[in-house]
């Protein structure tokens, strides 16, 4: 299976693309444009955004667990300052922060 090589390692700071593509997308709106930290590589999987339209999902994409500070995600966040949210994000949505 053709696959993209992983570009990030645990601890790397990344920024999620702020794109608004039409159609099926697996990246939540609330993290687009936000910076976070890679927790771990979840594996390499066929791209679900392509699979949703009958494609082969190739090249397969690394999937990362990315951690964000809640306060950087939600405007007026009133919870404890150390609160985090973790989201699975495919590599083609990430860039170095």
């Amino acid at each position: 299976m053709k696959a993209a090589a992983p570009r990030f390692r645990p601890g790397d700071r990344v920024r999620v693309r702020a794109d608004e593509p039409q159609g099926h997308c697996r990246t939540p709106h609330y993290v687009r444009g936000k910076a976070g930290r890679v927790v771990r590589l979840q594996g390499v999987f066929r791209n679900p955004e392509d699979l949703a339209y009958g494609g082969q999902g190739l090249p397969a994409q690394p999937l990362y667990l990315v951690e964000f500070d809640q306060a950087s995600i939600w405007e007026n966040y009133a919870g404890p300052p150390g609160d985090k949210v973790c989201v699975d994000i495919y590599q083609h949505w990430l860039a170095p922060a």
Side-chain angles (χ1 to χ4, degrees), residues 10-74:
D12 285 353
R13 298 278 303 157
V14 292
R15 182 169 303 278
V16 181
R17 289 180 8 213
D19 297 2
E20 295 288 336
Q22 291 188 359
H24 182 74
C25 178
R26 300 288 263 183
T27 301
H29 284 276
Y30 61 88
V31 296
R32 293 184 194 172
K34 306 293 184 181
R37 181 185 63 82
V38 172
V39 175
R40 69 175 163 263
L41 174 65
Q42 302 283 56
V44 178
F45 305 94
R46 293 190 299 160
N47 183 346
E49 294 172 4
D50 184 52
L51 290 171
Y53 295 100
Q56 294 183 13
L58 299 175
Q61 293 291 318
L63 178 67
Y64 299 92
L65 183 65
V66 180
E67 177 183 81
F68 301 88
D69 292 327
Q70 289 271 31
S72 73
I73 301 296
W74 310 110

